[in-house]
Amino acid sequence: MNPSLSLRSTSSFSPPFAPAPPSLSSSRLPSHVCLSKWKRSVGRSDLVVRNALSGREHKADGSPSSPNNIFSLEAIGAEYGEGFETFRMDGPLKVDVDYLNNKLQQCFLQRIRHAMKPDEAFGLIFSWDNVVADSHSLKMAAWRQLASEEGKELPNSEHMQRNMLRLSADHVLAKVLFWSREETEIERLKSRLSELYYENLQNLDVPVKGLKEWLDAVYTAGIPCAVVSCLDRRYMVDALDRMGLKKYFQSIVTEEDGMESIAHRFLSAAVKLDRKPSKCVVFEDDPRGITAAHNCTMMAVALIGAHPAYELVQADLAVAKYSELSVINLRRLFGPKETKFMDLQKKIIDKSPPKRKLRVDTI
């Protein structure tokens, strides 16, 4: 086993990083659960809870009292392989892509096991939006309910509705729908929009078509899976339980983990799965998520639907539905790349000197 420091999560539903004990000589360093700081507001009727990692406030019933990243445009992250910073007893520790690929090495027994069962060496990371659940329908329902409450009308144009789902709520409210330009009013509308989304999420009990069968095949092959999202952990776990998918995911990454970008969530999921980023496969439907996966040296499988196929050409594999996938597809992603037509090829130049031609002197 590699004596150097490596990271591993011992809990399936625990925040990824917290202060570790001073002794770091163990071969596997478990990540402990971070305790949240609880704050009771004296002059309010509701109990407000602030999480230590994300700084978010929650009401007494657990619903967020401020809008989160559901209706915002998140940063891709890891453009230059940078990661995030976690804190240890001996000081801060910077965790980036190269660090995780180096430290999350397989031990001797793992190499033997993965030689007999190569599929278990991979890790699958699923994005929540339109990969696990139909979040576009939830978002549009929240927009319609908000428009009904405010006495507004939503445009019927497909192009305008696509922009409402892809752009941030600030931009949509101010420059697409032109509902308001005041910051306080926009914040109020965003907060109400987030509340409507979580109310609709509590009624979600059906996953994306074909996902359960695909997860069942992956579960049989022994491949660990994780799901990442910017949702609150409690709502995420409840939704997975209602859809009957909770047993398939060994770990989840939510807003409580305090990740600042899409790539950071993927890296956190790789740590929780105890797999190198270069051995992970990300399932996404957004070109931004595919770029984040490649920034983390991960493979990317794109689901065609929310975005057309020509916007997902950078993915390593694009499918229209889960029934087109098989476990052998995962092995081919990490296999040797085949030569394609019009690929640049190296030309072999014969450097041996040309043979001398003999000529007859006729003079």
Side-chain angles (χ1 to χ4, degrees):
M1 179 178 283
N2 190 357
S4 60
L5 172 64
S6 60
L7 299 172
R8 185 179 186 180
S9 175
T10 57
S11 176
S12 297
F13 299 98
S14 61
F17 298 108
S23 175
L24 299 178
S25 59
S26 60
S27 59
R28 293 289 181 185
L29 179 62
S31 59
H32 301 282
V33 177
C34 296
L35 297 179
S36 300
K37 297 180 182 179
W38 301 85
K39 183 180 73 173
R40 186 181 299 274
S41 60
V42 179
R44 299 181 183 179
S45 59
D46 293 337
L47 177 66
V48 178
V49 180
R50 182 178 296 273
N51 187 273
L53 288 175
S54 60
R56 293 283 314 287
E57 291 185 352
H58 298 261
K59 294 182 180 179
D61 59 352
S63 60
S65 61
S66 60
N68 56 10
N69 296 328
I70 298 176
F71 293 91
S72 64
L73 202 62
E74 295 183 273
I76 296 176
E79 284 81 2
Y80 301 97
E82 70 274 9
F84 48 89
E85 191 175 71
T86 182
F87 297 94
R88 303 297 184 191
M89 295 296 292
D90 56 348
L93 175 64
K94 292 184 178 180
V95 180
D96 55 14
V97 178
D98 293 336
Y99 179 88
L100 293 179
N101 280 325
N102 183 34
K103 296 302 180 181
L104 291 176
Q105 297 287 345
Q106 299 175 356
C107 65
F108 176 72
L109 294 179
Q110 284 179 329
R111 286 197 297 268
I112 296 178
R113 180 177 180 85
H114 293 166
M116 296 184 295
K117 298 182 178 180
D119 297 330
E120 295 184 4
F122 308 134
L124 306 187
I125 302 174
F126 293 82
S127 177
W128 171 262
D129 292 335
N130 305 308
V131 176
V132 176
D134 186 8
S135 62
H136 277 192
S137 299
L138 297 176
K139 290 181 180 180
M140 283 305 304
W143 276 112
R144 294 190 185 97
Q145 292 174 349
L146 181 63
S148 177
E149 293 179 358
E150 299 295 326
K152 306 286 185 179
E153 291 185 1
L154 292 180
N156 296 325
S157 172
E158 183 179 353
H159 175 71
M160 295 290 290
Q161 292 183 0
R162 189 183 303 113
N163 289 336
M164 292 172 57
L165 296 174
R166 296 182 181 182
L167 301 176
S168 62
D170 304 75
H171 185 85
V172 172
L173 292 171
K175 298 182 179 181
V176 177
L177 300 178
F178 301 101
W179 285 4
S180 177
R181 290 184 178 273
E182 298 181 2
E183 185 176 354
T184 56
E185 180 67 11
I186 290 179
E187 290 297 326
R188 183 188 69 83
L189 294 174
K190 286 171 54 180
S191 179
R192 180 54 182 162
L193 189 64
S194 178
E195 292 176 1
L196 292 173
Y197 180 87
Y198 278 108
E199 290 176 3
N200 296 331
L201 181 62
Q202 295 180 11
N203 300 324
L204 179 67
D205 56 357
V206 179
V208 173
K209 184 178 180 180
L211 174 62
K212 196 166 186 178
E213 291 76 12
W214 167 243
L215 288 176
D216 190 59
V218 169
Y219 185 80
T220 304
I223 306 176
C225 299
V227 57
V228 299
S229 173
C230 60
L231 297 176
D232 288 351
R233 183 177 300 271
R234 171 192 147 188
Y235 287 90
M236 168 72 77
V237 175
D238 291 344
L240 292 175
D241 196 11
R242 288 193 302 271
M243 292 186 292
L245 304 179
K246 186 177 179 181
K247 69 173 184 177
Y248 297 113
F249 295 105
Q250 282 71 31
S251 61
I252 64 173
V253 178
T254 57
E255 190 179 11
E256 282 77 6
D257 292 287
M259 300 295 109
E260 299 178 354
S261 64
I262 304 174
H264 291 176
R265 289 196 179 96
F266 292 160
L267 293 177
S268 177
V271 172
K272 290 188 175 187
L273 293 177
D274 194 22
R275 296 293 186 270
K276 297 191 300 181
S278 59
K279 284 292 185 180
C280 292
V281 181
V282 174
F283 289 79
E284 262 284 358
D285 77 312
D286 195 334
R288 295 169 56 84
I290 296 173
T291 302
H294 287 165
N295 290 346
C296 298
T297 67
M298 299 178 181
M299 295 293 178
V301 176
L303 264 70
I304 304 172
H307 291 264
Y310 61 83
E311 294 183 2
L312 305 172
V313 293
Q314 58 180 334
D316 300 285
L317 178 64
V319 295
K321 49 189 177 180
Y322 282 106
S323 59
E324 299 178 7
L325 292 172
S326 63
V327 178
I328 194 65
N329 295 131
L330 303 179
R331 302 180 191 175
R332 290 175 179 173
L333 288 176
F334 296 94
K337 302 298 181 181
E338 297 181 358
T339 303
K340 296 182 180 180
F341 180 67
M342 293 297 291
D343 282 351
L344 295 178
Q345 301 291 332
K346 292 183 179 180
K347 184 178 180 180
I348 301 177
I349 301 176
D350 189 6
K351 295 183 179 180
S352 58
K355 295 182 179 181
R356 184 177 179 181
K357 295 182 179 180
L358 297 178
R359 295 182 180 180
V360 179
D361 193 357
T362 58
I363 300 177

